[in-house]
Amino acid sequence: MDEFMEAALAEARKGYAEGGIPIGSVLVHQGKVIGRGHNKRVQEGSVILHGEMSALENAGRQPVSVYRECVLYTTLSPCPMCSGTILLYGIPRVVIGENETFMGEEELLRSRGVDVTVVDNPECRALMQEFIAQKPELWNEDIGV
């Protein structure tokens, strides 16, 4: 597994260990992680801190030129909110751990020129499947069902 997807997966595991939703993400600029995060909706009572949003928040305020050179790694296909943020800041590439447990807005991203790669990582998928089986109500809340 690529080191950046491994870092995103480590974030997902951290969130799960905290009692949250196991989705992690890292923002990479020029081969270096500048932001990392995991879904903190449960831990912080937040309506917006999905894994991708947490990683972007932890990267701090960046010039648009930096975002336009970044790659966002995420363990799960990004939802409409996170995809909108990717588009807003012009992040050109997204690497997704898996999209079997949830299919986000990959086609929207592609239609707007974002290079989307799904690596179909079995560890990312197994972690989400375990979580969904254990806490289906929490999962449905997270995806707005």
Side-chain angles (χ1 to χ4, degrees):
M1 179 184 333
D2 152 310
E3 69 179 294
F4 301 123
M5 186 55 68
E6 183 62 47
L9 184 56
E11 285 293 325
R13 289 181 177 133
K14 182 177 178 182
Y16 196 34
E18 294 169 353
I21 299 158
I23 302 167
S25 184
V26 295
L27 185 65
V28 177
H29 180 251
Q30 297 181 349
K32 179 183 174 203
V33 174
I34 63 169
R36 62 180 66 237
H38 53 275
N39 187 305
K40 293 183 179 179
R41 290 187 69 247
V42 173
Q43 299 92 313
E44 295 192 16
S46 172
V47 298
I48 62 167
L49 280 180
H50 283 193
E52 300 90 339
M53 302 297 276
S54 178
L56 286 162
E57 178 73 13
N58 290 327
R61 197 168 145 202
Q62 300 292 328
V64 173
S65 60
V66 169
Y67 293 118
R68 292 190 176 157
E69 295 176 344
C70 283
V71 179
L72 183 72
Y73 287 77
T74 180
T75 58
L76 187 65
S77 186
C79 75
M81 175 180 64
C82 297
S83 295
T85 303
I86 290 164
L87 295 173
L88 177 67
Y89 289 107
I91 297 170
R93 184 160 185 247
V94 177
V95 179
I96 299 167
E98 67 101 359
N99 63 5
E100 185 179 308
T101 58
F102 177 77
M103 172 60 77
E105 296 296 327
E106 295 173 28
E107 287 310 311
L108 171 64
L109 292 171
R110 287 185 180 104
S111 77
R112 299 283 296 274
V114 177
D115 176 10
V116 176
T117 302
V118 180
V119 296
D120 195 27
N121 182 282
E123 292 176 70
C124 293
R125 186 173 47 257
L127 184 60
M128 280 307 299
Q129 287 172 336
E130 178 182 328
F131 168 74
I132 291 168
Q134 288 182 354
K135 298 183 178 181
E137 303 85 13
L138 185 54
W139 171 238
N140 287 335
E141 174 190 321
D142 193 61
I143 59 172
V145 176

